[in-house]
């Protein structure tokens, strides 16, 4: 009899993400306002689209396994060496490399309960032992709690998303630097900066190339290239060399490399996306005020509306879907009483607002 290895056989048949395509299939919907995965509603940069379209014929070639041109451009952007950049097919891919390379089976990995789930998914898949720390009551990741647990458990790795998903919370550079300094010397800090493009560079942790720090960035959010699957890690040269031993050499789509490079050069477009996103967040906050619902401050491309009650939040998600508006909600205390809504275009935001107003008059508080 053929059986998977015990580690894999014991994994629950779960998927961290249920896609909108399945929701549409299962609910008989032909159209959906996509506000559930923090995708960019503004699309990729027109320069990226043109560059990718222009190179479609060369998809018969593998992409550069060194992703050299893109890494060189990223190194320039981050004032570091090419050898300090590793490109992957999204942060989700890079997190898997980090866990595979640095977390032995049985070793401890620490994260916030209810945060972005792919880190946990990899820890489970590679046999690490997960330990979770609750968010603070105000929705912020508990830095003190994470650092304390890292010492108690002699953790191999600690994961933090900053700006955070699903809360939208942002810790400034001093807080993050203090947290990093408070971790054990033997703990790797995986700092997921998927939303860094929406924060001011001067507020992010300055460049640091220690072996125990990996920072991840993506083209999926502000650059609008989620479907192209491309992201990168900023890390020590030794770390990049380690990733080189285990990454799929041809794992990065050739066209994605081309699009990412063009997108990086289109600063006008990314500024437009960041400004428009800030406008959208403001509009959501105003909508919350109008409806008497609190919203959490966010430095991302989504906003959490605090419905004050888990059941009510679940009901609103279901009811929005019935009306063709797809959002998600956090799964763990204290954020599970919130719904998380991506910033859409003006018309998507209007569709959401209309549906929410109608629902709140029906779903009792
Ligand atoms: C969206 C998101 C990612 C996924 O990034 P990809 O590059 O698309 O894999 C990673 N981390 C966080 C916190 C995210 O919100």
């Amino acid at each position: 009899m053929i059986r998977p290895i015990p580690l894999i056989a014991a994994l629950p048949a779960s998927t961290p993400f249920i896609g909108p395509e399945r929701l549409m299939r299962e609910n008989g919907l032909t159209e959906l306002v996509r506000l559930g995965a923090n995708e960019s509603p503004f699309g990729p940069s027109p320069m990226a689209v043109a560059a990718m379209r222009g190179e479609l014929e060369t998809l018969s070639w593998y992409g550069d396994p060194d992703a050299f041109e893109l890494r060189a451009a990223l190194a320039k952007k981050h004032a570091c060496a090419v050898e300090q950049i590793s490109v992957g097919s999204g942060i989700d891919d890079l997190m898997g490399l980090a866990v595979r390379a640095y977390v032995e089976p049985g070793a401890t990995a620490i994260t916030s309960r209810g945060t972005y789930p792919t880190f946990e998914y990899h820890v489970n898949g590679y046999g690490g032992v997960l330990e979770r720390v609750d968010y603070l009551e105000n929705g912020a990741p508990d830095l003190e709690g994470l650092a304390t647990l890292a010492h108690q458990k002699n953790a191999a790795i600690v994961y933090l998303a900053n700006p955070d998903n699903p809360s939208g919370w942002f810790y400034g550079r001093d807080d993050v630097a203090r947290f990093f300094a408070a971790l054990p010397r033997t703990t790797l800090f995986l700092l997921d900066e998927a939303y860094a493009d929406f924060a001011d560079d001067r507020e992010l942790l300055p460049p640091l190339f220690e072996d125990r720090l990996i920072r991840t960035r993506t083209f999926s959010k502000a650059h609008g290239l989620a479907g192209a699957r491309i992201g990168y890690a900023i890390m020590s040269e030794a770390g990049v060399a380690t990733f080189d031993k285990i990454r799929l050499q041809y794992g990065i789509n050739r066209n994605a490399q081309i699009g990412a490079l063009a997108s990086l050069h289109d600063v006008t477009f990314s500024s437009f996306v960041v400004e428009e996103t800030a406008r959208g967040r403001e509009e959501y906050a105003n909508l919350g005020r109008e409806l008497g619902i609190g919203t959490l401050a966010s430095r991302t491309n989504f906003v959490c509306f605090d419905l004050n009650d888990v059941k009510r939040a679940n009901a609103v998600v279901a009811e929005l879907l019935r009306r063709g508006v797809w959002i998600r909600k956090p799964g763990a205390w204290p954020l599970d009483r919130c719904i998380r809504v991506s910033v859409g275009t003006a018309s998507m935001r209007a569709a959401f607002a209309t549906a929410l107003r109608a629902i709140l008059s029906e779903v009792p508080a």
Side-chain angles (χ1 to χ4, degrees):
M1 198 162 143
I2 299 291
R3 281 182 177 283
I5 62 170
L7 169 69
I8 304 301
L11 291 177
S14 72
T15 142
F17 300 109
I18 293 175
E21 292 80 7
R22 188 202 288 187
L23 292 174
M24 289 174 77
R25 257 189 335 266
E26 292 179 351
N27 292 278
L29 297 165
T30 50
E31 265 181 78
L32 203 57
V33 181
R34 290 173 75 120
L35 297 174
N38 306 335
E39 297 156 325
S40 176
F42 308 110
S45 132
M47 275 167 68
V49 172
M52 293 168 93
R53 188 174 281 139
E55 289 284 340
L56 281 177
E57 308 293 325
T58 60
L59 270 177
S60 50
W61 297 349
Y62 289 107
D64 174 7
D66 298 319
F68 188 83
E69 258 195 284
L70 177 60
R71 284 169 62 227
L74 289 168
K76 198 164 163 212
K77 172 180 159 84
H78 294 291
C80 68
V82 178
E83 293 78 12
Q84 291 167 322
I85 302 280
S86 185
V87 173
S89 55
I91 292 177
D92 286 358
D93 175 31
L94 294 156
M95 287 200 285
L97 298 180
V99 172
R100 184 176 167 205
Y102 297 103
V103 183
E104 273 195 89
T108 301
I110 294 179
T111 185
S112 300
R113 181 175 285 109
T115 191
Y116 187 73
T118 310
F119 175 71
E120 296 202 2
Y121 176 81
H122 287 306
V123 172
N124 288 330
Y126 287 114
V129 176
L130 271 168
E131 296 280 348
R132 302 179 184 88
V133 175
D134 282 338
Y135 278 83
L136 297 171
E137 192 123 24
N138 65 356
D142 181 0
L143 297 188
E144 229 178 280
L146 290 165
T148 302
L149 196 63
H151 281 278
Q152 279 169 6
K153 301 285 177 181
N154 188 20
I157 192 167
V158 172
Y159 172 81
L160 177 74
N162 189 57
D164 180 64
N165 181 7
S167 68
W169 187 274
F170 179 64
Y171 279 114
R173 54 165 53 182
D174 293 343
D175 289 319
V176 178
R178 217 172 300 122
F179 174 65
F180 183 41
L183 292 177
R185 301 295 112 177
T186 49
T187 299
L188 175 67
F189 180 24
L190 179 53
L191 176 57
D192 183 350
E193 298 181 315
Y195 298 97
D197 295 317
F198 299 102
D200 188 329
D201 256 352
R202 289 163 302 187
E203 297 175 65
L204 295 166
L205 195 66
L208 265 181
F209 297 95
E210 294 183 36
D211 286 344
R212 58 193 193 94
L213 175 65
I214 298 179
R215 306 168 75 160
T216 54
R217 305 278 178 103
T218 184
F219 287 93
S220 296
K221 304 283 156 66
H223 289 274
L225 287 168
R229 308 306 305 130
I230 189 155
Y232 59 100
I234 313 169
M235 57 202 289
S236 71
E237 287 185 30
V240 171
T242 298
F243 276 20
D244 279 343
K245 294 181 185 177
I246 54 172
R247 69 187 178 86
L248 281 180
Q249 298 297 310
Y250 288 116
I252 311 149
N253 184 313
R254 174 185 170 78
N255 214 236
Q257 292 188 37
I258 292 164
L261 184 61
S263 189
L264 214 49
H265 290 137
D266 194 351
V267 181
T268 312
F269 181 76
S270 45
S271 306
F272 157 77
V273 170
V274 169
E275 280 163 31
E276 198 53 35
T277 302
R279 200 188 322 280
R281 286 198 308 255
E282 193 51 41
E283 201 178 291
Y284 282 167
N286 288 336
L287 175 66
R289 271 189 286 276
E290 173 205 317
L291 296 170
I293 307 167
T295 51
L296 276 57
S298 166
R299 293 296 275 280
T300 64
N301 65 353
F302 60 84
V303 170
C304 276
F305 290 74
D306 185 353
L307 295 176
N308 253 313
D309 179 78
V310 181
K311 266 214 243 135
R312 188 167 187 238
N314 279 315
V316 168
V317 171
E319 195 51 36
L320 280 168
L321 182 63
R322 214 176 58 77
R323 292 165 191 250
V325 179
W326 175 57
I327 63 159
R328 283 199 177 115
K329 70 175 289 298
W333 182 91
L335 293 160
D336 53 353
R337 55 178 208 230
C338 298
I339 56 172
R340 191 199 69 183
V341 188
S342 308
V343 170
T345 58
S347 70
M348 293 162 83
R349 301 191 305 254
F352 162 71
T354 302
L356 186 65
R357 281 188 196 103
I359 291 165
L360 287 183
S361 59
E362 292 164 21
V363 180

